[in-house]
Short mmCIF file of all heavy atoms in Angstrom, two decimals:
data_model
loop_
_atom_site.label_atom_id
_atom_site.label_comp_id
_atom_site.label_asym_id
_atom_site.label_seq_id
_atom_site.Cartn_x
_atom_site.Cartn_y
_atom_site.Cartn_z
N LYS Y 79 113.07 44.54 45.11
CA LYS Y 79 112.24 45.60 45.68
C LYS Y 79 112.77 45.98 47.05
O LYS Y 79 113.43 45.19 47.72
CB LYS Y 79 110.79 45.13 45.79
CG LYS Y 79 110.19 44.73 44.45
CD LYS Y 79 109.99 45.90 43.55
CE LYS Y 79 109.30 45.50 42.26
NZ LYS Y 79 109.13 46.61 41.35
N PRO Y 80 112.44 47.20 47.52
CA PRO Y 80 112.94 47.62 48.83
C PRO Y 80 112.17 46.97 49.97
O PRO Y 80 111.44 47.60 50.72
CB PRO Y 80 112.71 49.14 48.81
CG PRO Y 80 111.55 49.32 47.91
CD PRO Y 80 111.69 48.26 46.84
N TYR Y 81 112.34 45.64 50.09
CA TYR Y 81 111.58 44.88 51.08
C TYR Y 81 112.40 44.54 52.32
O TYR Y 81 111.91 43.83 53.20
CB TYR Y 81 111.09 43.56 50.46
CG TYR Y 81 109.97 43.72 49.46
CD1 TYR Y 81 109.97 42.95 48.30
CD2 TYR Y 81 108.93 44.60 49.67
CE1 TYR Y 81 108.94 43.07 47.38
CE2 TYR Y 81 107.90 44.72 48.75
CZ TYR Y 81 107.91 43.95 47.61
OH TYR Y 81 106.90 44.06 46.70
N ILE Y 82 113.66 44.99 52.39
CA ILE Y 82 114.52 44.57 53.48
C ILE Y 82 113.94 44.99 54.83
O ILE Y 82 113.83 44.18 55.76
CB ILE Y 82 115.94 45.15 53.31
CG1 ILE Y 82 116.58 44.58 52.05
CG2 ILE Y 82 116.81 44.82 54.52
CD1 ILE Y 82 117.94 45.15 51.74
N ALA Y 83 113.56 46.27 54.95
CA ALA Y 83 113.01 46.76 56.22
C ALA Y 83 111.72 46.03 56.57
O ALA Y 83 111.46 45.72 57.74
CB ALA Y 83 112.77 48.26 56.15
N VAL Y 84 110.89 45.75 55.57
CA VAL Y 84 109.62 45.06 55.81
C VAL Y 84 109.88 43.63 56.28
O VAL Y 84 109.21 43.13 57.20
CB VAL Y 84 108.77 45.05 54.52
CG1 VAL Y 84 107.48 44.28 54.74
CG2 VAL Y 84 108.46 46.47 54.09
N ASN Y 85 110.86 42.96 55.68
CA ASN Y 85 111.21 41.61 56.10
C ASN Y 85 111.71 41.60 57.55
O ASN Y 85 111.44 40.66 58.30
CB ASN Y 85 112.27 41.02 55.17
CG ASN Y 85 111.72 40.73 53.78
OD1 ASN Y 85 110.52 40.57 53.62
ND2 ASN Y 85 112.59 40.69 52.79
N ILE Y 86 112.46 42.64 57.92
CA ILE Y 86 112.92 42.75 59.31
C ILE Y 86 111.73 42.90 60.25
O ILE Y 86 111.68 42.28 61.32
CB ILE Y 86 113.89 43.94 59.46
CG1 ILE Y 86 115.20 43.65 58.70
CG2 ILE Y 86 114.19 44.21 60.93
CD1 ILE Y 86 116.16 44.82 58.68
N LEU Y 87 110.74 43.71 59.84
CA LEU Y 87 109.54 43.88 60.67
C LEU Y 87 108.78 42.56 60.82
O LEU Y 87 108.27 42.26 61.91
CB LEU Y 87 108.63 44.94 60.05
CG LEU Y 87 109.00 46.41 60.27
CD1 LEU Y 87 108.01 47.30 59.54
CD2 LEU Y 87 109.04 46.74 61.74
N ILE Y 88 108.71 41.79 59.75
CA ILE Y 88 108.04 40.49 59.83
C ILE Y 88 108.76 39.58 60.83
O ILE Y 88 108.13 38.91 61.66
CB ILE Y 88 107.99 39.82 58.43
CG1 ILE Y 88 107.04 40.61 57.51
CG2 ILE Y 88 107.54 38.37 58.54
CD1 ILE Y 88 107.02 40.11 56.09
N ALA Y 89 110.11 39.59 60.77
CA ALA Y 89 110.90 38.78 61.70
C ALA Y 89 110.71 39.25 63.14
O ALA Y 89 110.56 38.43 64.07
CB ALA Y 89 112.38 38.84 61.31
N VAL Y 90 110.67 40.58 63.34
CA VAL Y 90 110.49 41.14 64.68
C VAL Y 90 109.11 40.77 65.22
O VAL Y 90 108.96 40.36 66.39
CB VAL Y 90 110.66 42.68 64.66
CG1 VAL Y 90 110.18 43.29 65.97
CG2 VAL Y 90 112.12 43.03 64.43
N GLY Y 91 108.07 40.91 64.39
CA GLY Y 91 106.72 40.56 64.82
C GLY Y 91 106.59 39.11 65.22
O GLY Y 91 105.99 38.78 66.26
N ALA Y 92 107.18 38.21 64.40
CA ALA Y 92 107.13 36.78 64.72
C ALA Y 92 107.91 36.48 66.00
O ALA Y 92 107.46 35.68 66.83
CB ALA Y 92 107.70 35.97 63.54
N THR Y 93 109.07 37.13 66.17
CA THR Y 93 109.88 36.92 67.38
C THR Y 93 109.15 37.39 68.62
O THR Y 93 109.19 36.73 69.67
CB THR Y 93 111.22 37.66 67.24
OG1 THR Y 93 111.90 37.22 66.06
CG2 THR Y 93 112.10 37.41 68.46
N ILE Y 94 108.48 38.53 68.52
CA ILE Y 94 107.72 39.05 69.67
C ILE Y 94 106.61 38.09 70.07
O ILE Y 94 106.38 37.85 71.27
CB ILE Y 94 107.15 40.44 69.33
CG1 ILE Y 94 108.27 41.49 69.33
CG2 ILE Y 94 106.06 40.84 70.33
CD1 ILE Y 94 107.83 42.87 68.91
N MET Y 95 105.93 37.52 69.08
CA MET Y 95 104.86 36.56 69.39
C MET Y 95 105.41 35.34 70.11
O MET Y 95 104.82 34.84 71.07
CB MET Y 95 104.15 36.15 68.10
CG MET Y 95 103.32 37.26 67.46
SD MET Y 95 102.52 36.74 65.94
CE MET Y 95 101.39 35.50 66.55
N ILE Y 96 106.58 34.85 69.66
CA ILE Y 96 107.19 33.68 70.30
C ILE Y 96 107.64 34.03 71.72
O ILE Y 96 107.41 33.25 72.67
CB ILE Y 96 108.39 33.19 69.47
CG1 ILE Y 96 107.91 32.65 68.12
CG2 ILE Y 96 109.16 32.10 70.21
CD1 ILE Y 96 109.02 32.32 67.15
N LEU Y 97 108.24 35.19 71.90
CA LEU Y 97 108.71 35.61 73.22
C LEU Y 97 107.54 35.80 74.20
O LEU Y 97 107.65 35.45 75.38
CB LEU Y 97 109.51 36.90 73.11
CG LEU Y 97 110.97 36.78 72.69
CD1 LEU Y 97 111.61 38.16 72.57
CD2 LEU Y 97 111.76 35.92 73.67
#
Side-chain angles (χ1 to χ4, degrees):
K79 301 291 184 182
Y81 288 140
I82 296 177
V84 178
N85 291 338
I86 292 174
L87 281 178
I88 292 175
V90 168
T93 303
I94 286 175
M95 291 179 65
I96 294 172
L97 279 178

